[in-house]
Amino acid sequence: MRFSVTIPAFKKTYLRECINSVLAQTYQDYEIIIVNDASPENLNSILSEFQDSKIKYYVNPIGFGGYNVVGN
């Protein structure tokens, strides 16, 4: 059974640790979907450290924040 781990991202704090934690799991049939919610921080610098086909990275052109979680 494949499942998706979704990570809405706005700040760099703990993003690396979060990704590493998911990648360290023993169950391997998953994908990681990371959505940059129009962050002013350079999240690309962290994502560029990972070369794993399980990671899908998207960037929102506008920030949805907590007001529109579905949009994020």
Side-chain angles (χ1 to χ4, degrees):
M1 174 181 189
R2 183 169 192 171
F3 68 95
S4 300
V5 176
T6 58
I7 303 170
F10 187 72
K11 294 188 177 185
K12 294 187 332 182
T13 306
Y14 304 118
L15 180 58
R16 181 181 297 105
E17 291 85 349
C18 181
I19 296 167
N20 281 326
S21 176
V22 176
L23 291 174
Q25 301 304 305
T26 56
Y27 185 79
Q28 292 295 307
D29 194 13
Y30 64 85
E31 66 181 347
I32 303 172
I33 300 171
I34 301 169
V35 180
N36 178 333
D37 194 27
S39 175
E41 298 183 11
N42 184 6
L43 302 184
N44 295 340
S45 65
I46 293 177
L47 271 294
S48 66
E49 298 173 15
F50 297 93
Q51 302 300 318
D52 194 306
S53 63
K54 293 180 182 198
I55 298 174
K56 311 290 188 269
Y57 180 57
Y58 303 94
V59 179
N60 285 341
I62 60 168
F64 289 106
Y67 300 106
N68 187 353
V69 177
V70 174
N72 202 5

